[in-house]
Amino acid sequence: MAHYRGMDVTDHRIEVPLDHSHPEGEKISVFAREVSTDSTKPWLLFLQGGPGGKSPRPGSLSGWLAEAVKHFRVLLLDQRGTGLSTPANRKTLPLRGDSAAQARYLEHFRADSIVRDAEAFREYLGIDQWSTLGQSYGGFCTLTYLSLFPQSLARCLVTGGLASLDQDAKTVYRATYQRMAERNREYFSWYPQDFETLHRIYEHVRENRDERLPNGQQVTVPLVQMLGMYLGGNTRVHLLHHIFEEAFNQTPGGPRLSDAFLDALQAQSSFASNPLYALMHETIYAQGEATNFAAEQVLPEFPDFTVHAATPLLTGEMIFRWHFAEDPALRPLEDVARILAEHEHFAPLYDLDVLARNTVPVAAAVYHDDVYVDRELSLRTASQVAGLQAWVTNEYHHDGIGDEGPAIFRRLLAMANGADPEAAAKDQ
């Protein structure tokens, strides 16, 4: 155990089966970090967004975590393949064998396996029941947890993560494109000059094929569109304006994209630090049928996002085939991605009958204008889970917990505990 900045921090590592249906088979390592101020408090498991995102690395008690440790010992789980758990990336995956072998390995990296890893940690720590907080994809994992092991859960809190239980990936992406179009319009109404700058950037990269990121990747129109990831935030959205402000440098040879812009674009577009996000993203919607790059299939239905538009709109959480062909961190995994996209036999992630009979208190923040987890699909899910209380708010976007984490946590905890959420929100 280490003690710093007012918190006790303990690292935990366990061995779990790669395939939980064959516990005698290959093992992998899963890491989690415990953060607390009082070891007598009950436990809260934090399920990180993603897929492919490691748990937070707190340097101090702040944000939602500062509020959470008032009530709980918090376990920050590095979901399998991420952080200090056994890694899955362009360096380790090829050691599994050919592309088919790598894809078979990754079939065990979805929410059902993550939840079973969490169960292994619960048993390892000697916990009868614990609470969970799931952000974004962590909310998807929460619904799987409620489906598989509801008896292990005291209460569940979800922020921006009520997954669709019964809609296919193309339906999800149609909603995503619609929300992103709305958010583009909103952003460019604030900063109309940025739309002019974006058009200029597109024209520049269409004419200058030698503009490259620091990692050597060629700058293209679809790559620039990935700056739309900034649109999913509350305060983060305004950082995009500063990126556009510095887009160009004037040189003796004419305008060139600035190093500041190229560095920001690489930070947003490279999957070097989280390749599982790209590899597994559409599999989180797969239940019994192939996704076949659903975002790419649906794209022609939204011509304002295609490269043929004069000024294509900025995209969000969409993964396309070109990512694997062009991103140096993903290129070795291109065929693996294709095999996963074509896989037709992923097991169901949710048990609708169990969820319809749920008795675990669940409180979920549904962000009215969330561009990544659609409001209407979320509310449909809320109606399918017994005892789930949904708080619909337009105060926050998808990263609300990073913006006003303590207030959101207090409100959801009060809802799950049957207390007055308005009073809890005011209780500082």
Side-chain angles (χ1 to χ4, degrees):
M1 177 191 294
H3 180 85
Y4 58 90
R5 301 297 296 271
M7 57 184 173
D8 295 324
V9 179
T10 305
D11 292 350
H12 301 279
R13 189 185 301 274
I14 62 174
E15 299 294 310
V16 299
L18 169 65
D19 181 352
H20 282 275
S21 67
H22 294 88
E24 72 288 349
E26 180 182 351
K27 301 294 192 295
I28 61 172
S29 176
V30 178
F31 173 86
R33 178 163 285 143
E34 173 189 347
V35 178
S36 71
T37 58
D38 182 348
S39 62
T40 67
K41 293 185 183 299
W43 285 87
L44 174 80
L45 169 69
F46 179 67
L47 294 165
Q48 171 67 24
K54 63 185 178 183
S55 70
R57 267 46 180 175
S60 63
L61 283 177
S62 60
W64 70 266
L65 184 59
E67 184 64 27
V69 296
K70 295 178 183 178
H71 311 274
F72 299 100
R73 300 166 74 176
V74 179
L75 192 72
L76 304 172
L77 176 68
D78 276 355
Q79 297 170 13
R80 54 172 54 197
T82 75
L84 293 177
S85 296
T86 298
N89 54 43
R90 65 187 172 100
K91 294 182 178 180
T92 65
L93 286 171
L95 301 177
R96 310 294 312 182
D98 63 13
S99 295
Q102 295 173 54
R104 285 194 298 272
Y105 179 75
L106 290 174
E107 289 175 19
H108 304 296
F109 281 71
R110 297 205 307 155
D112 49 352
S113 295
I114 292 168
V115 165
R116 288 184 169 91
D117 292 344
E119 273 293 279
F121 254 116
R122 183 187 63 79
E123 294 174 359
Y124 162 78
L125 294 169
I127 303 166
D128 291 329
Q129 285 188 322
W130 57 4
S131 301
T132 65
L133 170 62
Q135 158 63 13
S136 187
Y137 177 61
F140 293 35
C141 294
T142 301
L143 293 166
T144 301
Y145 213 148
L146 286 163
S147 297
L148 296 178
F149 304 104
Q151 70 279 3
S152 300
L153 302 170
R155 64 181 66 75
C156 296
L157 315 181
V158 175
T159 54
L162 287 185
S164 175
L165 300 176
D166 53 12
Q167 301 297 301
D168 65 12
K170 288 193 284 189
T171 299
V172 170
Y173 282 109
R174 287 188 180 100
T176 301
Y177 279 115
Q178 291 166 1
R179 297 292 182 204
M180 281 301 299
E182 295 167 4
R183 187 63 162 165
N184 270 263
R185 286 192 290 271
E186 181 178 37
Y187 176 82
F188 290 118
S189 73
W190 301 333
Y191 301 108
Q193 68 273 34
D194 287 357
F195 190 77
E196 297 174 8
T197 300
L198 180 61
H199 180 79
R200 186 181 170 202
I201 293 168
Y202 288 149
E203 291 299 299
H204 179 79
V205 300
R206 282 165 172 157
E207 297 171 3
N208 295 269
R209 300 182 64 83
D210 58 342
E211 290 283 15
R212 295 187 176 273
L213 300 180
N215 67 6
Q217 184 176 353
Q218 182 183 333
V219 179
T220 63
V221 168
L223 192 73
V224 174
Q225 287 179 272
M226 290 182 69
L227 289 172
M229 293 292 285
Y230 277 92
L231 301 183
N234 290 322
T235 57
R236 191 169 182 259
V237 63
H238 297 284
L239 298 179
L240 181 57
H241 174 62
H242 303 309
I243 293 172
F244 281 133
E245 280 186 318
E246 296 184 287
F248 286 98
N249 284 154
Q250 294 301 322
T251 75
R256 296 298 302 268
L257 294 177
S258 70
D259 282 344
F261 177 84
L262 294 170
D263 186 59
L265 181 56
Q266 177 170 298
Q268 189 58 69
S269 62
S270 173
F271 291 99
S273 63
N274 59 342
L276 284 179
Y277 180 93
L279 283 165
M280 304 300 294
H281 197 268
E282 289 199 356
T283 73
I284 69 178
Y285 305 114
Q287 299 195 82
E289 61 181 21
T291 59
N292 284 318
F293 292 101
E296 190 171 292
Q297 288 188 65
V298 172
L299 176 60
E301 300 175 25
F302 299 89
D304 288 345
F305 287 93
T306 69
V307 294
H308 306 295
T311 310
L313 296 181
L314 302 173
T315 55
E317 289 193 327
M318 295 92 164
I319 298 297
F320 303 103
R321 267 179 266 254
W322 67 261
H323 286 125
F324 298 94
E326 298 179 15
D327 186 335
L330 296 180
R331 200 172 295 131
L333 305 172
E334 183 175 5
D335 199 43
V336 180
R338 178 192 60 77
I339 295 171
L340 288 170
E342 294 174 355
H343 187 69
E344 297 180 341
H345 304 293
F346 283 118
L349 294 170
Y350 314 114
D351 188 321
L352 273 65
D353 290 336
V354 170
L355 293 173
R357 301 191 306 270
N358 174 61
T359 59
V360 179
V362 183
V366 176
Y367 303 127
H368 186 275
D369 302 310
D370 197 326
V371 298
Y372 300 141
V373 182
D374 180 72
R375 175 187 72 246
E376 297 304 324
L377 293 178
S378 292
L379 292 178
R380 175 183 171 88
T381 295
S383 71
Q384 295 171 289
V385 181
L388 190 154
Q389 301 179 72
W391 166 42
V392 182
T393 175
N394 63 1
E395 295 181 70
Y396 312 106
H397 275 265
H398 191 70
D399 68 346
I401 196 172
D403 191 30
E404 292 290 345
I408 292 172
F409 187 91
R410 279 193 298 272
R411 184 178 185 115
L412 293 179
L413 183 60
M415 291 169 62
N417 288 342
D420 178 4
E422 296 293 341
K426 296 175 184 177
D427 180 15
Q428 301 297 320

